[in-house]
Amino acid sequence: MRAQQAPPAVLFHQAHSVYFNTLAEAGLLGLIAGGLFIGAIAAAQMQRLADDRSGTRHFAALSLAVLVAFLVHSGVDTLTFDKGNVLIMAVLVASGFAAETEARRGRRTLRAALPGALALAVLGFGVYGIWRDGPAHDAIAATATNDGAAAVSGWEAAVEREPGSAAVWQQLGLAQARLAAADGSPLADAVASFEQAYRLDPHWPANALNLGALTEAEGDLSTASDWFEQAVRLAPRVAFYRILLGRALEAQGLSPEAEAAYAVGLELQPSFATATFWQETPSRRAALRRWSESAADDPGPTWALAPHSGVSDPYLM
């Protein structure tokens, strides 16, 4: 983990779909409410296209075209880091209602106020989002140029602006760990950042895994084992987590527990069996032998492709 850096690209911690992201963050009721809101706007503009006496049909057509483009694009992307499109969409849609209001001034005051209020709210949230995400973009740019100190400073500024984001704290921890690996400084700051990320999102196994890797690097094998066990509980079918747990247990002399963790890791990911890792210690050789014997009792396609299994040719013929 210490060799990793914050990814030199935009950090996405939302689904790449407005629909799935809204469903995840606001639930089914939120998704339905958003759909009804968009549908009400579209219905009003379509009604205007069918029967318009104010000469503003072109504004209705513009609003509908913008909505269609927005809905199509929303299926494959998130707007979290693309506030400009949201602002443009809001202004153009609001212009349709504003044109109607101007033509029928005095009769639909409430309808005139609502789109304007919506546009102002969207503008305000957009400006806030740009301000909030600015340090993160700077940190990513610094990481891309291998400027570890600037990356850490950028993520520190990012967590000040968004202290409730587990993803931002995680990126700060990664940047701090990488800087510590480069200059030989202690990993305490990185550990503290990942602990905060874990507190904010205790169901994200990567935070527990990284805490295990950091405490293992500091020599605290008992704590590292606890964190790896937590990562395994959160993601029980990830073979790599089992193997890291086994390595930490083995380093403490807990060979039976380590062999059990190794064996489960091999069951989850049989392709790992060809790695030289399994020949380095008696516990690993025992785990490999234990897994090989159980796999030989019920050979499957994955086992058949393992080197020296003795059954590869029949399975491949």
Side-chain angles (χ1 to χ4, degrees), residues 68-104:
V68 169
F70 173 76
L71 293 173
V72 171
H73 182 73
S74 295
V76 296
D77 202 359
T78 175
L79 302 176
T80 304
F81 288 93
D82 197 7
K83 285 84 176 178
N85 285 338
V86 179
L87 295 177
I88 294 171
M89 184 270 296
V91 170
L92 291 177
V93 171
S95 69
F97 289 101
E100 180 184 28
T101 302
E102 186 66 26
R104 304 177 184 181

Side-chain angles (χ1 to χ4, degrees), residues 10-11 13-14 79-84 86-87 120-138 157-158 161-162 168:
V10 175
L11 170 66
H13 49 279
Q14 285 83 17
L79 302 176
T80 304
F81 288 93
D82 197 7
K83 285 84 176 178
V86 179
L87 295 177
L120 287 175
V122 171
L123 178 62
F125 280 113
V127 171
Y128 166 75
I130 293 172
W131 170 82
R132 181 198 63 193
D133 297 335
H137 283 272
D138 293 340
R161 296 188 182 186
E162 195 175 7
V168 176

Side-chain angles (χ1 to χ4, degrees), residues 212-230:
L214 288 169
T215 50
E216 183 181 40
E218 289 186 316
D220 188 351
L221 296 175
S222 177
T223 301
S225 298
D226 292 340
W227 282 117
F228 287 138
E229 286 178 353
Q230 179 62 12

Side-chain angles (χ1 to χ4, degrees), residues 10-44:
V10 175
L11 170 66
F12 285 102
H13 49 279
Q14 285 83 17
H16 282 220
S17 168
V18 171
Y19 307 115
F20 287 114
N21 194 58
T22 302
L23 180 63
E25 294 185 351
L28 184 59
L29 291 178
L31 182 63
I32 293 174
L36 291 175
F37 176 71
I38 297 294
I41 294 176

